[in-house]
């Protein structure tokens, strides 16, 4: 029996793996350019951090976490998302007592025990950004603009931004009560009725047609925003408009938990079927306090890198992965020549030129095949006779033109040709 990657997981292999590295880098570039610092947190944390930081009533905590006891009996959980860890780290290291906002970005694996399907995996990758400790509509707008730029820089044109406001601790409870009143009058199953009492906003998120049909007249949070929340939201919208970032108001876009406040947004892509969200985020003004910290109004997002890759595939942006693996490829015949080639290839690399060579004692034909597959523009061919003459054959694989170059000069000659 041979092993398979666990259900819901997969491997990134060359040459596609080069493309996913490039996608991660491109999504991070705009936030790096805006002065966000890189943070790396552990891939597992105390289970309690996520229970409180993501919320017991969410699908993530109630169904999707990889939780296990370690050998000392602590309950640990593989991180299902990044924000709780970032807030934990900020509080632990007192970053919030310095200059605010604290601006951080991350990139890493996330783990959720989900129903595995295209675009929904048990191990996936997110790039995320958070700005902690400031309540300023310009900060919400900045983060949205930077996420949108990441998508645009990748060439994506079909990413749509959905935007909403969830109100704050003044207006949200009033809205919540109005929504509960409305929902209690509907014909719903027991689970959903229970949700009305714990997490009524999540009922708005229900995708079942029979539920959707009943939600048509539901009160909307936009109609319940208090004056400061309304003004804040208008400013975010105005800044986005001025920055040329198109958005669609989506009054049903919700996040269930009380510490999510005001701005909430999602980036969706039409080419991904039901796993359409490529990223999402919003304000979480109450999260720090949920984790035992001081009031620390914050905003952030997470982008799904795997889904972004699928979106690029859907838009035909990935193209052929024929990019050359290396620029130069060494072919040596005979043991002495091989030992010399080993050193020569390393000299080439030290000069900043990418290089590989044939391994495994291949003959000329097999080694030249390797040179072709590597995508290299130049082959360095070294036989016993060349070695005796302290020279190497430099072959341009695009023209098949071959010239003899003294071994001592070959690095310089290559530098002139490839750079
Ligand atoms: P969905 O509604 O699709 O379950 P979500 O609301 O759970 O998404 P978030 O927790 O906001 O997603 O995570 C941010 C982004 O991470 C999503 O927009 C998506 O692109 C990506 N993502 C979330 N879950 C998965 C998964 N299981 N596999 C791949 N990507 C995922
Ligand atoms: Mg989910």
């Amino acid at each position: 029996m041979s092993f398979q990657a666990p259900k819901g997981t997969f491997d990134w292999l060359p040459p596609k793996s080069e493309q996913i590295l490039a996608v991660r880098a491109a999504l991070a570039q705009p936030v790096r350019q805006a002065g966000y610092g890189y943070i790396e947190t552990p891939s597992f944390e105390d289970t309690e951090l996520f229970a409180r930081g993501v919320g017991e009533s969410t699908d993530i905590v109630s169904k999707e976490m990889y939780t296990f006891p370690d050998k000392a009996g602590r309950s640990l959980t593989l991180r299902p998302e990044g924000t709780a860890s970032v807030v934990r780290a900020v509080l632990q290291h007192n970053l919030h007592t310095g200059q605010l906002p604290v601006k951080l970005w991350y990139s890493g694996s996330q783990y959720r025990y989900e129903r595995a399907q295209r675009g929904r995996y048990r191990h996936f990758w997110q790039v995320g950004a958070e700005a902690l400790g400031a309540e300023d509509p310009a900060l919400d707008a900045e983060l949205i603009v930077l996420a949108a730029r990441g998508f645009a820089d990748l060439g994506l044109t079909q990413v749509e931004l959905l935007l909403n406001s969830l109100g704050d601790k003044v207006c949200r409870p009033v809205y919540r009560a109005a929504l509960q009143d409305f929902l209690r009058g509907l014909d719903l199953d027991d689970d959903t009725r229970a949700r009305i009492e714990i997490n009524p906003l999540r009922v708005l998120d229900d995708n079942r047609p029979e539920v959707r049909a009943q939600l048509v007249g539901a009160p909307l949070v936009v109609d319940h925003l208090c004056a400061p929340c309304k003004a804040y939201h208008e400013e975010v919208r105005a800044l986005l408009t001025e920055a040329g970032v198109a958005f669609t108001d989506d009054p049903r876009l919700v996040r269930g938990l009380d510490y999510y406040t005001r701005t909430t947004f999602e980036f969706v892509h039409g080419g991904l079927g039901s796993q359409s969200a490529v990223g999402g985020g919003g304000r979480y003004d109450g999260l720090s306090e949920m984790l035992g910290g001081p009031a620390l109004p914050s905003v952030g997002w997470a982008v799904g890198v795997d889904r972004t890759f699928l979106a690029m595939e859907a838009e035909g942006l990935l193209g052929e992965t024929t990019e050359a693996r290396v620029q130069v490829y060494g072919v040596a015949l005979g043991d002495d020549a091989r030992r010399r080639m080993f050193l020569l290839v390393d000299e080439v690399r030290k000069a900043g030129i990418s290089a590989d060579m044939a391994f495994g004692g291949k003959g000329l034909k097999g080694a030249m095949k390797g040179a072709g597959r590597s995508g290299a523009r130049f082959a360095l061919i070294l036989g016993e006779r060349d070695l005796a003459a302290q020279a190497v054959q430099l072959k341009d694989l695009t023209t098949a033109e071959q010239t003899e170059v003294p071994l001592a000069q070959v690095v310089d000659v290559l530098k002139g040709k490839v750079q």
Side-chain angles (χ1 to χ4, degrees), residues 132 134 170 174 308:
L132 303 101
V170 175
V174 182
T308 301

Side-chain angles (χ1 to χ4, degrees), residues 60 112 114 119-121 124 126 255 266 277-280 302-304 307:
I60 291 181
R112 297 184 193 177
E114 300 217 54
R120 188 173 296 286
Y121 310 111
F124 60 99
Q126 286 180 340
R255 306 203 144 211
E266 194 160 80
V278 287
V303 168
R307 284 193 201 167

Side-chain angles (χ1 to χ4, degrees), residues 96-328:
H96 60 293
T97 60
Q99 168 87 12
L100 296 178
V102 181
K103 291 175 152 191
L104 298 167
W105 72 277
Y106 60 86
S107 176
S109 296
Q110 310 294 340
Y111 310 84
R112 297 184 193 177
Y113 191 78
E114 300 217 54
R115 211 161 66 79
Q117 53 199 294
R118 184 176 159 80
R120 188 173 296 286
Y121 310 111
R122 293 182 176 177
H123 170 250
F124 60 99
W125 198 280
Q126 286 180 340
V127 168
E130 318 281 356
L132 303 101
E135 198 168 13
D136 182 341
L139 197 55
D140 305 41
E142 169 177 283
L143 273 161
I144 293 172
V145 167
L146 296 173
R149 180 156 311 142
F151 293 126
D153 287 350
L154 287 168
L156 288 162
T157 57
Q158 293 164 36
V159 175
E160 191 190 354
L161 168 61
L162 308 176
L163 185 68
N164 197 17
S165 172
L166 297 176
D168 63 5
K169 55 180 183 290
V170 175
C171 54
R172 178 103 77 95
V174 182
Y175 169 65
R176 194 176 187 270
L179 181 63
Q180 282 176 320
D181 271 352
F182 173 85
L183 295 173
R184 286 187 194 117
L186 303 184
D187 177 23
L188 298 165
D189 59 273
D190 289 347
D191 274 359
T192 311
R193 299 200 78 81
R195 193 171 294 156
I196 296 172
E197 306 312 319
I198 312 162
N199 202 338
L201 269 73
R202 277 302 304 277
V203 180
L204 289 182
D205 224 4
D206 202 311
N207 278 327
R208 291 172 296 175
E210 66 276 20
V211 179
R212 291 234 75 102
Q214 296 189 69
L215 290 174
V216 171
L220 298 173
V221 66
V222 278
D223 300 325
H224 288 74
L225 294 181
C226 59
C229 281
K230 211 179 186 102
Y232 193 99
H233 193 50
E234 284 314 315
E235 181 64 8
V236 173
R237 295 174 81 256
L239 288 170
L240 291 177
T241 303
E242 277 172 42
V245 172
F247 59 87
T248 305
D249 290 306
D250 182 354
R252 286 171 190 276
L253 185 69
V254 293
R255 306 203 144 211
L257 300 165
D258 289 342
Y259 52 73
Y260 288 116
T261 49
R262 293 189 168 170
T263 312
T264 187
F265 53 93
E266 194 160 80
F267 291 94
V268 294
H269 192 278
L272 298 183
S274 50
Q275 273 59 251
S276 63
V278 287
R283 261 203 172 265
Y284 49 93
D285 288 349
L287 178 53
S288 169
E289 286 152 299
M290 281 295 296
L291 299 179
L296 200 63
S298 305
V299 55
W301 50 250
V303 168
V305 178
D306 309 82
R307 284 193 201 167
T308 301
F309 190 88
L310 292 177
M312 292 181 69
E313 221 164 52
E315 290 197 29
L317 293 169
L318 292 168
E320 287 296 298
T321 48
T322 50
E323 207 168 293
R325 202 161 54 72
V326 289
Q327 296 162 290
V328 172

